[in-house]
Amino acid sequence: AQTIHQWPVAEIKAVGSPLSLGCTIKGKSSPNLYWYWQATGGTLQQLFYSITVGQVESVVQLNLSASRPKDDQFILSTEKLLLSHSGFYLCAWDRANQAPLFGEGTRLSVL
Amino acid sequence: GEQVEQRPPHLSVREGDSAIIICTYTDSATAYFSWYKQEAGAGLQLLMSVLSNVDRKEEQGLTVLLNKKDKRLSLNLTAAHPGDSAVYFCAVRAPPNKVVFGTGTRLQVLP
């Protein structure tokens, strides 16, 4: 069975500090991978997607970047956090014509 | 790009009643439709998904209807119970790899 794991579960960071969030999918080769951001009480905004190792497409510009160093790993990062980066970050995976399946998310508070 | 509207934003029903949530979308090329449930502080749980060639799908007390002519997708929870209380999101998949979410419906099922 496929599993998707996000880390860390939660982060409290200072404005201007760097950030790295991770996501690993096990039990599925060559998945499509996604990063989403959710403001408290809000809807989900797709940030990035990747269909293969080393390839990442940006959907919106939020001073964040993403990388896919391995087939089963997706990393979200920034060198300098903003207050507006606070929220819930969700990683998801799917195959063509399937609905994305989500991890449990990382809650980020930027102070 | 694809636009998705979801209504109502809040819905309160009595236990045993049905709850209906509706989404409308704009892109007729949309090929895949999904409904998710999100409980407080958690990731998204996939409830049901349908391809564009399906008009109706029923599973475990849930009914999804797709009206392609009106570009409308609905979720009907028949005989809702308190455990159904959560936020529900529709999602539509626009080629090639963009998944757009509705704004969410907070459902409260009262005993």
Side-chain angles (χ1 to χ4, degrees):
Chain A
Q2 309 88 349
T3 59
I4 179 168
H5 173 62
Q6 285 188 244
W7 74 91
V9 171
E11 279 268 45
I12 299 174
K13 303 280 277 186
V15 170
S17 63
L19 174 77
S20 182
L21 304 180
C23 174
T24 298
I25 293 87
K26 294 299 182 188
K28 205 70 178 178
S29 62
S30 305
N32 298 324
L33 297 175
Y34 304 85
W35 277 111
Y36 282 85
W37 174 78
Q38 184 182 31
T40 301
T43 189
L44 283 84
Q45 171 69 61
Q46 187 174 344
L47 302 176
F48 299 96
Y49 71 86
S50 170
I51 60 174
T52 192
V53 174
Q55 176 270 345
V56 175
E57 296 292 333
S58 173
V59 178
V60 293
Q61 292 297 325
L62 286 180
N63 293 305
L64 295 167
S65 60
S67 64
R68 186 166 178 179
K70 302 179 189 177
D71 186 52
D72 63 354
Q73 195 173 77
F74 208 18
I75 306 296
L76 183 71
S77 61
T78 183
E79 292 185 0
K80 200 178 247 191
L81 278 165
L82 307 172
L83 284 174
S84 58
H85 285 137
S86 292
F88 198 40
Y89 288 84
L90 290 150
C91 178
W93 75 271
D94 72 6
R95 291 286 192 85
N97 285 337
Q98 293 180 351
L101 297 176
F102 285 81
E104 285 304 309
T106 294
R107 186 158 302 281
L108 174 65
S109 297
V110 182
L111 307 175
Chain B
E2 178 75 88
Q3 305 283 327
V4 180
E5 292 190 8
Q6 183 172 342
R7 63 179 195 275
H10 301 276
L11 181 59
S12 184
V13 301
R14 290 281 176 191
E15 184 173 7
D17 289 347
S18 63
I20 299 176
I21 304 169
I22 295 173
C23 284
T24 55
Y25 58 98
T26 56
D27 188 352
S28 56
T30 299
Y32 206 82
F33 307 84
S34 307
W35 285 98
Y36 292 86
K37 175 183 180 182
Q38 186 178 34
E39 297 179 349
L44 273 72
Q45 174 192 352
L46 176 65
L47 295 175
M48 206 184 307
S49 52
V50 297
L51 288 167
S52 60
N53 59 355
V54 173
D55 294 331
R56 181 188 181 99
K57 186 173 181 180
E58 293 184 47
E59 278 181 10
Q60 298 180 324
L62 302 173
T63 301
V64 171
L65 297 177
L66 177 61
N67 182 324
K68 291 183 286 294
K69 175 175 169 292
D70 295 339
K71 298 192 185 70
R72 188 174 65 242
L73 175 74
S74 67
L75 174 69
N76 185 351
L77 291 83
T78 54
H81 55 86
D84 291 329
S85 296
V87 180
Y88 290 79
F89 292 95
C90 64
V92 304
R93 188 189 192 104
N97 280 300
K98 187 154 188 209
V99 180
V100 179
F101 281 78
T103 47
T105 296
R106 185 171 298 276
L107 173 65
Q108 185 181 27
V109 182
L110 303 171

